[in-house]
Amino acid sequence: MDVVAVLITGGARSGKSRFAEQLAAHRYKRGIYIATSEALDQEMADRIAKHQAERAQSGFSWQTLEEPLHLSEALHKLATGQQTDMEQTVVLVDCLTLWLSNWFFMLDVEHQGSSKLHAVVLALAEQVRNYPYPLIIVSNELGDGIVPADALSRSYRDEAGRLNQAIAEHCEQVFLVTAGIPVDLKRIAYRWEEQ
């Protein structure tokens, strides 16, 4: 299979995570699931437990890693480690927007951390570009809704859009999932060189 990196984006409850897991199971023998969320409250803890149980019951072999911040380093470690048969092991990252929010608030981007955030995003994009094995990344598409009322939320929305663009540039396939229906964006994308 030629496709190595895939970005799957869409709105909340669009079916993007379910599609990502189905795509992984359809194409590969096993998976490493990198979860970027943290159980900061009971609702999130319940949500995480539910997703873990669903993956365990899916019949597909998942190993779960929790990595709320150091995603570039985790991918680098997997790329250079001693694991065998990585060509048939997909890494699924879910999700980039939670990873971004973890950095966004840790760095206090609203007041001082935007240059550090940009460096972290560029490092991740470079790692995605260089990752030699199958990779599926899930992210939220935040720019299609109402413009947020406050500056902090607008800043986060803008950073999420920039992040998605930076990662999509290095992915062979990019899917937009809406109402559970995935659309292969790079297949139908406008090509400047063809005009």
Side-chain angles (χ1 to χ4, degrees):
M1 167 155 311
D2 292 334
V3 173
V4 175
V6 177
L7 175 65
I8 299 172
T9 187
R13 298 291 156 264
S14 62
K16 59 190 179 297
S17 293
R18 183 178 63 238
F19 173 66
E21 292 174 19
Q22 290 171 341
L23 186 65
H26 178 74
R27 290 184 175 174
Y28 304 103
K29 290 183 179 177
R30 69 194 65 78
I32 298 171
Y33 189 102
I34 301 181
T36 63
S37 62
E38 295 182 283
L40 299 177
D41 58 35
Q42 190 58 49
E43 187 271 339
M44 189 55 111
D46 293 344
R47 188 180 290 226
I48 289 169
K50 179 178 180 247
H51 287 304
Q52 289 173 339
E54 288 171 353
R55 285 196 304 276
Q57 295 172 0
S58 71
F60 187 71
S61 175
W62 286 111
Q63 172 191 351
T64 301
L65 303 176
E66 295 180 3
E67 188 46 73
L69 290 170
H70 303 292
L71 193 49
S72 297
E73 293 86 341
L75 289 175
H76 178 73
K77 197 179 286 187
L78 288 168
T80 59
Q82 300 300 313
Q83 299 90 342
T84 58
D85 199 21
M86 285 300 286
E87 290 81 10
Q88 284 298 315
T89 302
V90 62
V91 171
L92 194 162
V93 176
D94 196 356
C95 81
L96 275 191
T97 37
L98 280 173
W99 172 83
L100 179 68
S101 69
N102 295 339
W103 276 106
F104 195 84
F105 294 109
M106 188 188 84
L107 294 172
D108 192 14
V109 169
E110 184 180 27
H111 297 107
Q112 64 207 16
S114 63
S115 62
K116 172 67 172 166
L117 182 65
H118 293 157
V120 169
V121 167
L122 288 175
L124 178 60
E126 185 68 11
Q127 190 60 51
V128 169
R129 184 174 75 82
N130 292 322
Y131 190 76
Y133 302 118
L135 178 63
I136 298 174
I137 302 167
V138 177
S139 190
N140 286 283
E141 191 59 47
L142 302 180
D144 288 344
I146 297 169
V147 175
D150 63 281
L152 181 62
S153 298
R154 287 192 299 274
S155 177
Y156 177 73
R157 177 210 52 192
D158 294 347
E159 294 296 346
R162 289 185 193 102
L163 171 63
N164 285 348
Q165 289 183 59
I167 299 303
E169 180 181 348
H170 301 300
C171 291
E172 287 80 8
Q173 283 187 306
V174 177
F175 289 96
L176 173 65
V177 181
T178 301
I181 302 169
V183 177
D184 188 341
L185 295 178
K186 285 206 170 179
R187 181 179 290 178
I188 62 173
Y190 179 81
R191 307 270 190 259
W192 288 103
E193 62 273 9
E194 294 174 1
Q195 303 304 317

